[in-house]
Amino acid sequence: MKYLLFAIVSIAVMLTGCAGTPSASGSTAAPVKAPAPDFSGAKGKEWKLIEVRINNTNTGYNRSSLAQTDAFTLNFHEENISGTGAPNRYSAPFTLGEGNDITIMMVRATLMAAFLEPDRLKEHDFFGYIQNVYKWNLVNNNLELNSRTNNGAEILLLFSL
């Protein structure tokens, strides 16, 4: 009797284990992943920094007040970024992750002396923000890069064409 009961319970467990968990539609198929965001719209263009927010507060950085009009630019190529700081040129490798994730590695820059650094954003800070970027987004023809400072403050770098 014990063996018969054990056999019936074993068969029942095996049958329910093979049935799978049906979804609301009754299907056991894997969920469909959303398509990956299209980063190609950011590549091959020269983006100009127009706004910097720290913890959702505008820092007062004003591109129109810059004496050096080519300062704080960003270009995406196949596996590298490049651009100008104030006054140095820079580059760094980058990789795209899942969704809108992005990783920018260590920034390499030329070593020209900055005689006039813009108010509200020092080149050193800009390079630090760039290499701490973790997320990108294209919104209304603008490029948004989310970053963090070393002490955890949230940074939003807003670029325009």
Side-chain angles (χ1 to χ4, degrees):
M1 180 70 180
K2 287 182 187 180
Y3 295 112
L4 180 60
L5 182 59
F6 177 75
I8 292 173
V9 170
S10 297
I11 291 171
V13 168
M14 288 190 315
L15 289 176
T16 47
C18 294
T21 306
S23 64
S25 66
S27 171
T28 58
V32 176
K33 276 187 156 181
D38 185 13
F39 191 73
S40 64
K43 289 184 176 180
K45 300 173 181 167
E46 182 173 72
W47 297 95
K48 296 176 179 158
L49 183 66
I50 59 172
E51 188 175 334
V52 179
R53 295 183 198 154
I54 299 176
N55 289 329
N56 213 20
T57 302
N58 191 326
T59 61
Y61 168 80
N62 184 352
R63 176 163 203 81
S64 62
S65 70
L66 294 178
Q68 182 184 354
T69 57
D70 63 344
F72 302 121
T73 64
L74 175 65
N75 300 289
F76 285 94
H77 310 286
E78 287 306 311
E79 296 175 355
N80 289 293
I81 62 167
S82 66
T84 54
N88 291 292
R89 300 224 17 96
Y90 71 93
S91 65
F94 79 94
T95 57
L96 295 173
E98 296 231 356
N100 290 53
D101 293 348
I102 185 171
T103 302
I104 298 176
M105 287 21 145
M106 182 71 81
V107 169
R108 303 170 300 249
T110 57
L111 298 173
M112 295 186 292
F115 294 108
L116 294 172
E117 273 194 299
D119 288 336
R120 310 282 184 198
L121 182 60
K122 303 299 180 204
E123 183 181 68
H124 180 277
D125 293 334
F126 175 72
F127 291 159
Y129 299 160
I130 288 292
Q131 67 189 30
N132 286 328
V133 165
Y134 63 91
K135 185 177 178 182
W136 68 272
N137 206 3
L138 289 171
V139 178
N140 299 326
N141 295 322
N142 290 329
L143 173 65
E144 296 179 352
L145 296 179
N146 295 88
S147 180
R148 288 190 185 97
T149 63
N150 291 336
N151 64 2
E154 287 291 322
I155 306 293
L156 175 68
L157 302 169
L158 183 62
F159 292 85
S160 182
L161 294 173

